[in-house]
């Protein structure tokens, strides 16, 4: 099952230590990773369908101190709904009323298709993004 890391600090900090340690959660969750952090009111999202443990993208971001923020969300994926593709990697983002919202989820929602969609629609195939669009 997926693993999540969320952190909220009282000031902007370098997230290298947190991200370096979190990467190893991908050993049991090899179907992708995603990172989100906020630069002012805008979320920056980097994600990939590759295993974070083996990812040069993940390593380069951490080694080069690329991520420095007050708020961090990280996700390593074990796919239960939807293929191991970029569009199914978490976190997901939508804009509403000029604000950027980020969502990631751990678990499976079996009857997710019964939740109606009317303003937002998933790009990928996951139950998580469907529920996010419903909310």
């Amino acid at each position: 099952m997926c693993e999540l890391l969320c952190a909220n600090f009282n000031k902007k900090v370098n997230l290298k230590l947190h991200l370096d340690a979190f990467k190893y959660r991908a050993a049991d969750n090899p179907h992708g990773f995603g990172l989100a952090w906020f630069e002012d009111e805008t979320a920056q999202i980097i994600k990939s369908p590759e295993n974070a443990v083996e990812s040069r993208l993940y390593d380069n971001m951490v080694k080069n101190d690329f991520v420095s923020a007050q708020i961090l969300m990280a996700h390593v994926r074990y796919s239960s709904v939807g293929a191991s593709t970029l569009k199914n990697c978490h976190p997901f983002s939508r804009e509403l009323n000029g604000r950027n919202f980020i969502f990631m989820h751990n678990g499976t929602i079996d009857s997710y298709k019964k939740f109606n969609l009317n303003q937002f629609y998933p790009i990928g195939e996951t139950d998580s993004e469907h529920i996010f669009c419903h909310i």
Side-chain angles (χ1 to χ4, degrees), residues 23-76:
K23 169 174 91 170
Y24 295 101
R25 299 291 188 165
D28 295 325
N29 301 281
H31 304 130
F33 71 88
L35 307 172
W37 64 96
F38 282 86
E39 298 283 339
D40 51 62
E41 297 86 37
T42 306
Q44 176 70 43
I45 298 175
I46 302 290
K47 54 188 183 176
S48 175
E50 61 188 336
N51 186 326
V53 173
E54 302 163 357
S55 171
R56 288 178 44 211
L57 173 62
Y58 194 103
D59 282 345
N60 283 331
M61 290 177 49
V62 173
K63 283 182 196 172
N64 295 318
D65 297 331
F66 187 72
V67 182
S68 181
Q70 188 173 339
I71 298 172
L72 166 72
M73 296 172 73
H75 185 275
V76 288

